[in-house]
Amino acid sequence: MKRVSISGSPRENVGKKDAKMHRAEGRVVSVLYGSGEQTHFTIEKNPFNKIIFTPDVFIIDLEINGKVIPAILQDVQYHPVTDEPLHADFLQIIEGKPVNIDLPVKLKGVAPGIIKGGILTKKLRTIPIKGLVNDIPEFITIDISGLNIGNNIKIRDIDFGKLVPQITEGNLVVGVKTARGAAVGDEEEDGEGEGEGGEAAAAE
């Protein structure tokens, strides 16, 4: 995965009033967990936006109190009206301990079914996986060069290597349906989950 550095400032007080003050100063209230203790801090909004408003995933080196702590972003809360980030949760990376993360899906090749007039339907833009950080790539590559009209690729068809997908194997990832709207990608797959993969596709 790509790697970036972000500087954080420790919070002396934890509470709504303190959080409101930091947000007014253009900072994002954050918490780091994973080592048994929680660290409360704030980060500047501008460098943080460069991480969240991109499909890429990162190892984030958090610089707090002179220490550099490797972490991954786990969750972001946004303002319901402005979509400005309000709060961020980071998970500290512990060597030998697997992490959960949503990896973006990247398609490779040209599907013959599209050349014949079919429509490509991409049902999942990210796939939740679990694995060691050193085994996690920047994205999951899926070759669609073998897809004709009526064909699709499900979770069970993908080689994840050492990673373990955190979604049912019958979930549809990508398919080619006829231009008339035949339900290749629209029907529920094998009764094993709904089209968008529930919470897993919320990152779309």
Side-chain angles (χ1 to χ4, degrees):
M1 289 191 291
K2 296 179 180 178
R3 201 164 193 136
V4 297
S5 296
I6 291 182
S7 295
S9 299
R11 291 179 63 188
E12 296 182 0
N13 301 300
V14 179
K16 292 183 178 179
K17 184 177 180 179
D18 181 75
K20 185 177 181 180
M21 178 191 70
H22 286 298
R23 288 167 182 151
E25 295 174 348
R27 303 186 67 84
V28 180
V29 176
S30 307
V31 62
L32 172 70
Y33 60 93
S35 64
E37 297 181 359
Q38 291 188 354
T39 300
H40 297 270
F41 62 102
T42 65
I43 53 179
E44 292 184 8
K45 187 180 300 181
N46 288 339
F48 184 60
N49 285 344
K50 295 178 181 179
I51 294 176
I52 59 175
F53 295 120
T54 172
D56 297 330
V57 292
F58 301 90
I59 294 175
I60 303 168
D61 289 321
L62 293 172
E63 301 177 11
I64 306 172
N65 269 344
K67 296 181 179 180
V68 178
I69 306 169
I72 58 173
L73 182 64
Q74 288 285 276
D75 187 43
V76 182
Q77 297 176 18
Y78 298 90
H79 190 282
V81 177
T82 65
D83 283 337
E84 290 289 320
L86 299 177
H87 183 92
D89 289 341
F90 293 88
L91 175 66
Q92 182 174 344
I93 295 173
I94 306 295
E95 186 175 356
K97 186 176 181 179
V99 299
N100 291 280
I101 196 168
D102 290 349
L103 284 182
V105 173
K106 182 178 181 180
L107 303 182
K108 181 180 78 170
V110 178
I114 298 176
I115 298 175
K116 296 175 183 178
I119 298 175
L120 186 73
T121 59
K122 188 176 180 181
K123 289 295 184 178
L124 295 179
R125 296 188 181 277
T126 63
I127 297 176
I129 61 89
K130 183 176 183 178
L132 298 177
V133 170
N134 290 339
D135 296 327
I136 299 176
E138 293 182 17
F139 43 76
I140 296 173
T141 301
I142 298 178
D143 189 353
I144 61 172
S145 59
L147 292 182
N148 274 300
I149 295 176
N151 295 154
N152 56 52
I153 295 174
K154 301 174 185 176
I155 293 294
R156 67 165 66 97
D157 303 317
I158 302 171
D159 181 7
F160 289 93
K162 296 181 180 180
L163 307 178
V164 180
Q166 303 298 293
I167 185 174
T168 52
E169 64 177 16
N171 271 278
L172 180 69
V173 181
V174 62
V176 179
K177 64 181 182 181
T178 67
R180 296 179 62 184
V184 174
D186 294 335
E187 295 179 350
E188 183 170 317
E189 297 299 320
D190 298 345
E192 295 181 345
E194 300 181 7
E196 293 287 344
E199 295 180 359
E204 180 177 341

